[in-house]
Amino acid sequence: MAPDKPTSLVTVTLPSGATLEDALRKLGIGREAVDTDYGLVDLHNGTYALLVTEAVAERVHGMPGAQGPYANPKIEPFGPPQARPDED
């Protein structure tokens, strides 16, 4: 069985200026359960997003101040790359 990688998007409510460490403390999880490259994304109004493992997403579902998991589709280019007029 492959290890559970951080692929589930959840949100957490935190005070303005919160850090990833604040989110980890609120959710009661360690750094190994989150995608630290993704980090903590400020969605404004005290809501922050982070990528966590599926196990964590299931555990925090319904926790006060936490919501998700949400869909996190892979973002890819639409169609083949095209040269810009100034790149000839």
Side-chain angles (χ1 to χ4, degrees), residues 16 22 24 29 33 47-48 53-54 56 58 60 63 66 71 73 87:
S16 179
D22 295 327
L24 298 177
I29 60 176
T47 303
Y48 295 82
T53 63
E54 285 186 37
V56 167
E58 290 175 17
V60 302
M63 177 185 284
E87 293 180 342

Side-chain angles (χ1 to χ4, degrees), residues 47-86:
T47 303
Y48 295 82
L50 64 161
L51 285 176
V52 299
T53 63
E54 285 186 37
V56 167
E58 290 175 17
R59 188 161 47 99
V60 302
H61 179 73
M63 177 185 284
Q67 294 186 343
Y70 297 101
N72 184 26
K74 184 176 181 178
I75 298 172
E76 297 182 63
F78 183 75
Q82 297 179 356
R84 295 171 140 182
D86 59 338

